[in-house]
Amino acid sequence: MKRGWIIGGAVVIVAVFGWLLFGGLEKNVVFFLTPKELLAKGNDGIGVPVRLGGQVKPGSVKWNAQTLDLRFTVTDGAREMQVHSTGAPPQMFRDGMGVVVEGRAGAGGVFEATGLMVKHSNAYRAPKPGEEAHEKYKTLIQQSTK
Amino acid sequence: MSLKREGKLTSSTDHLRDTQAARPPRTSNWLAFVSFAAVIAAQAYAILTSPADADMGHLQKIMYVHVPAAWMTFLSFFVVLVFSVRYLWRRQENDDLIAASAAEVGATFNGLTLMLGMIWGRPAWGVWWVWDARLTSTLVLFLIFVGYLALRAFTEDAQQKAQWSAAVGAIGALNVPIVYMSVKWWRTLHQPPSSPETLDPAYTLGLRINAIAMLLVLIYFIRRRYEIARLERAVEHMAEAAAMGGG
Amino acid sequence: MDASNITFIIAAYTVTWIVLLGYLLRLVRKGGRARADYERMAQQRSGEKSQ
C-alpha cells in the first residue's frame, strides 16, 4: 500500500522530469512569440505550431455566433497579425485584452488558431463609470516584448 | 545491598533526566482557535468589502486564498532551508525535525496553491493548466517535496534520514526564488506579481489580512507537526534504549 | 458571466477549507496517537526501572 504510493509517485516525478528534459522546457521557457517575432522568422514561421501572444487590437473582433467563426487581430504595438479561430472564446476574451493563441501561421498571413487563452495583467481595479478596461493591456504587451 | 540500591537510584534519576530533556513541548490549542478564526474573519471581510474587478469581476476573490497559499509555500520552504543548513552544520536532531515539519506543511500549501491556480485559470484564462515557466516550476517544487517526504518515509536509519533529507530540502528550497522570479525572467501566461501600484487599495487590505491569518495557521501547523515529530522520536529513543537492555 | 463564475469561487474556497481542516484533522489524529504511545512507553520504562 505504502510502497505502491511511493512507486507511483516516483514514476510521476521521473515522467515529468523526462518530459522537461526532452523538449518541453526549452519550448515553454518562452511561452509565446509576439507578432513581431513571428513575422521576423519569415517563411520559417509559417506552418509550424507556435503560440502567438499580444493584445487583441481594439475594434478588430468579428464574431459570428451562427458559424462560431472568430476573427481578430493580435498586436504587440509594433506589428500585428490576423487570427482566425473556430469555437466560442473564453469568457474573458474581449477587445483590448491580452491573449495567447495556439496554432500555425498560414501562408496567406492569417494565423489559424487551435487554442485560445486570455492573458491577464497584474492590475486589479474596480471599474469606474465609462472606463475603457483595455488600456492596461497595452503596457502589459510592451513589458513582455522588452 | 546498599550499593545495588544506589546503582538503581542513579539509573532511575538518569532516566528521569532523559525523559525530562526529551519531553516534547505541548502546543496549546489557543493558537489553533485564533488562527482559524482569523482566516474566517479575514475571508469574510475581503469577500464582503471588495468590489468586482474591472475585467475579472468577482473571480478576483480567488486571489485571497491563492496568493496567501503561495506565500505560505515559499515561507515554509524557507524554514526548511534554514533548518536543513543548520542541521548539516550542527547535527542537532531537532533541527532535522523542524525542517521535516515545515516541509510537510509547505507541500500541503504547495498542493493547495496548484489546485487553486487551476480553479482560477479555467475561467480567467480559458484553460485549467498550461506548461509555462511559472506553473511548471511550481509543480516541480511540489514534486521535489513530495519526494522529500517519500524519502523520509522510506529511510529507516534516523541519521541517514536526517542527512539525506537536509540535502534534498536545502537544494529543493533553492527552487523557491526560481518559482518567484519565473514570471519576470521568462515570458509566461501567468501574470507577474501585483504590487501596491497595480493593486487597487480596495483589494490590498483584504489580501494583507488574509496573508496574516494564513501565517498564523502556518505557524500553528508547523509547531504542532514538530511537537508530534518530537513525541515520535522520543518513543523511538525509549524503544532503542529498552532494546539495549533497559539502560 | 458572474452566474457561472460563482461556481469557481465557491470551489476555490471549498478546496481551501477542505485542505486546511483535512490537515488539522491529520495533526489531531497523529498527535493523539503519538502522545498515547509516548505516555505508554514512558510509563513502561519507569515501571521497569523501579522494579
Side-chain angles (χ1 to χ4, degrees):
Chain A
M1 176 67 179
K2 198 176 192 180
R3 215 184 167 84
W5 276 102
I6 290 166
I7 291 167
V11 167
V12 171
I13 291 171
V14 168
V16 169
F17 276 99
W19 181 85
L20 288 174
L21 288 174
F22 296 100
L25 191 65
E26 195 192 334
K27 202 174 76 190
N28 288 288
V29 159
V30 174
F31 189 67
F32 59 87
L33 299 176
T34 65
K36 190 182 172 186
E37 289 163 341
L38 184 58
L39 290 168
K41 287 184 160 198
N43 281 337
D44 291 345
I46 292 173
V48 285
V50 282
R51 294 192 198 93
L52 175 73
Q55 186 194 13
V56 179
K57 193 183 178 186
S60 72
V61 179
K62 290 185 188 71
W63 166 241
N64 186 330
Q66 255 78 54
T67 57
L68 299 177
D69 194 73
L70 178 67
R71 284 172 194 279
F72 57 95
T73 305
V74 170
T75 173
D76 55 21
R79 303 290 301 271
E80 56 184 51
M81 219 169 165
Q82 287 189 352
V83 176
H84 174 239
S85 158
T86 355
Q91 52 168 339
M92 300 272 160
F93 177 87
R94 73 194 71 157
D95 243 20
M97 207 71 179
V99 76
V100 175
V101 284
E102 284 179 316
R104 297 155 199 265
V110 177
F111 191 92
E112 288 294 330
T114 53
L116 178 54
M117 292 169 267
V118 170
K119 179 171 166 63
H120 285 267
S121 81
N122 59 354
Y124 294 88
R125 316 184 277 206
K128 295 175 197 118
E131 183 199 15
E132 291 283 331
H134 54 75
E135 275 309 302
K136 55 194 172 192
Y137 287 96
K138 282 181 187 158
T139 58
L140 172 79
I141 299 306
Q142 277 155 15
Q143 272 168 13
S144 58
T145 50
K146 251 196 302 216
Chain B
M1 189 66 173
S2 74
L3 261 175
K4 216 174 175 185
R5 203 183 156 79
E6 246 182 52
K8 272 198 176 154
L9 266 174
T10 332
S11 86
S12 154
T13 44
D14 271 353
H15 154 74
L16 257 178
R17 208 172 54 223
D18 279 356
T19 44
Q20 224 73 50
R23 191 164 194 95
R26 199 184 268 267
T27 309
S28 55
N29 284 328
W30 69 263
L31 186 56
F33 290 116
V34 169
S35 60
F36 276 78
V39 173
I40 293 170
Q43 287 184 355
Y45 172 84
I47 290 169
L48 294 175
T49 63
S50 63
D53 177 69
D55 289 314
M56 280 210 195
H58 288 295
L59 265 185
Q60 177 275 337
K61 287 175 174 53
I62 298 180
M63 178 197 279
Y64 301 122
V65 281
H66 175 70
V67 175
W71 287 346
M72 295 315 123
T73 308
F74 295 160
L75 215 54
S76 307
F77 293 153
F78 182 69
V79 173
V80 175
L81 175 68
V82 169
F83 284 92
S84 295
V85 170
R86 206 165 90 140
Y87 173 80
L88 291 173
W89 180 31
R90 300 195 320 171
R91 306 279 162 171
Q92 297 281 306
E93 183 178 62
N94 288 348
D95 289 342
D96 168 57
L97 297 180
I98 294 174
S101 306
E104 190 184 282
V105 176
T108 306
F109 276 106
N110 198 342
L112 177 63
T113 307
L114 288 168
M115 285 191 284
L116 293 175
M118 290 170 79
I119 293 170
W120 201 359
R122 183 67 188 84
W125 297 341
V127 284
W128 294 103
W129 183 268
V130 289
W131 292 99
D132 81 346
R134 167 54 78 84
L135 277 66
T136 308
S137 59
T138 311
L139 180 65
V140 167
L141 188 66
F142 180 65
L143 293 178
I144 288 171
F145 279 93
V146 170
Y148 175 103
L149 296 171
L151 176 74
R152 291 190 74 89
F154 233 165
T155 315
E156 289 289 331
D157 182 65
Q159 213 183 338
Q160 211 167 46
K161 186 194 283 193
Q163 281 173 15
W164 288 355
S165 49
V168 174
I171 294 166
L174 291 181
N175 276 301
V176 167
I178 296 177
V179 172
Y180 184 77
M181 294 305 290
S182 58
V183 284
K184 297 180 179 187
W185 288 342
W186 302 299
R187 204 179 286 166
T188 55
L189 184 63
H190 193 289
Q191 65 269 35
S194 297
S195 64
E197 286 88 64
T198 65
L199 194 63
D200 196 308
Y203 308 120
T204 323
L205 180 63
L207 182 59
R208 282 185 181 152
I209 60 171
N210 270 282
I212 291 166
M214 210 62 109
L215 178 65
L216 295 177
V217 172
L218 181 81
I219 292 168
Y220 173 72
F221 277 176
I222 295 178
R223 284 187 55 166
R224 189 70 197 272
R225 186 64 189 82
Y226 172 58
E227 172 199 331
I228 295 167
R230 284 277 301 269
L231 281 167
E232 288 174 342
R233 192 49 66 86
V235 170
E236 280 170 35
H237 283 321
M238 286 190 284
E240 269 167 35
M244 302 274 273
Chain C
M1 183 191 89
D2 271 352
S4 65
N5 283 343
I6 197 83
T7 320
F8 289 99
I9 298 165
I10 291 170
Y13 280 84
T14 308
V15 164
T16 304
W17 279 99
I18 288 173
V19 170
L20 291 184
L21 293 176
Y23 192 73
L24 180 70
L25 187 69
R26 173 187 151 81
L27 289 180
V28 167
R29 280 186 180 169
K30 202 175 164 65
R33 231 180 299 135
R35 178 69 61 185
D37 283 353
Y38 177 81
E39 299 299 349
R40 191 174 344 104
M41 200 63 150
Q43 215 156 40
Q44 207 179 318
R45 293 271 291 146
S46 63
E48 279 167 17
K49 284 288 153 73
S50 55
Q51 269 166 20

